[in-house]
Structures are given as C-alpha cells and as structure tokens.
Amino acid sequence: MTLAPARENVLAWLSDRVPAARIKHILGVEQTAGDLARHYGLDEAKARSAGLLHDLAKYFKPPLLLQIAQKEGLELDSVLEAHPHLLHADASAIVARDEFRVVDREILEAIANHTLGRPNMSQLSCTVFVADTIEPSRGNTAELTALREASLQNLYAAVWQTSDYSLKYLLETRCYIHPRTVLTRNWALQMARSPEIGNSTKKSIEQITS
C-alpha cells in the first residue's frame, strides 16, 4: 500500500490501455493540478498523483463500468445507467486503489470527483476538477482562457465557472445532465460568493504571490 504509485508504472499501464492523445491530456491534468495546488498552498504531490490517475478507467466499456459500480455498491441512478461513461471517474479511483494500492482518501476522492464534482469536495478535488477542463491540450478558446485566469484568482469560482462551461456544452449538445453537476455548481458559486471564504482565498493568494 502506498500514498502514490511509481509514476513510470502508471504510465506503462496507461500506454497499453489509452491512446496517445489521452495520455497527453492526462499529463496536462497532472501538471495543471499540481500547479494549482502549489498556487493555493495545497499538497502538490497529491494533486499531481490524482491528476495522473484520474482517467485510468476512461476507456473501459459500459458493461465493465456498470459491473465495477455494482460490485462496489455505488448508487446508480437513471442518468448513470443510461450513460455509464460518467462512472469512469469512480471506476478510476477503484482501479487506483486495487491496481496501484493507493490508500490516501484525498487522492481517491479527487479522482472520483473529477467529472461530476461533488458539493463540499476538498480543495484538492477542486484542483483536479478544474485541471481536467483547462489543461493545455484542451485548446486556447476565449472561454478556456477566461477559465484559466479565474483558476488563479479563486478556486471555488473556477469550479463554478468550469461547471457552467460544462453545462453550456451539455445543453447545446442536448445531452443528459447529471444532478451532481448542478449541485456542484451551486455549491461552488455559494463558496465563491461567501465573504469569509472569499477573504481567506484572497489572503492565501497574496501570501503565495508576495
């Protein structure tokens, strides 16, 4: 059992299971999550580890994702049953635990929360959630540039705006929206607007950048 597996072992495992473009994305999330964690005074090593492991189950087939979820006793609703791909985050955390012996709860939760988020998730989870959308290989649109700027100002605002970005895409493409995405968005918006949280966040930024 370990806090985090050897990076080369994870990359070797991934190279046999995901295409090169996905590995590029994974490495981008690893770097971006680490950068955000350092910026906000969080555990950079944990953030990088969660980023590296976040898409282990990305290309698992729907029946396997459902099987893993049922075996683990995860709660399945109509949206997840209709779109098992949404389970890949939870499944990736399970693979990290079972295949790579990761036992750190914060890392496992950050992996599990990277797609749908979760109200009251840790700041470490927030870094991976945001990094999954803004890492460099996603492109350089005006919306992504704004998200990247927001990510350095207030972590909760970045989660809320990342959720809005995802919701806009889902609405435009007429896809199902999982309730957790909405709940995460509303929670992050509330946190970002909180005077107490907002002040502490600004102070942490000033301390890091001074």
Side-chain angles (χ1 to χ4, degrees), residues 43 133 142 160:
D43 191 315
T133 295
W160 141 47

Side-chain angles (χ1 to χ4, degrees), residues 38-55:
R38 183 172 63 253
H39 183 75
Y40 287 102
L42 307 174
D43 191 315
E44 182 179 354
K46 285 188 180 185
R48 290 178 64 87
S49 181
L52 181 66
L53 296 161
H54 84 282
D55 265 352

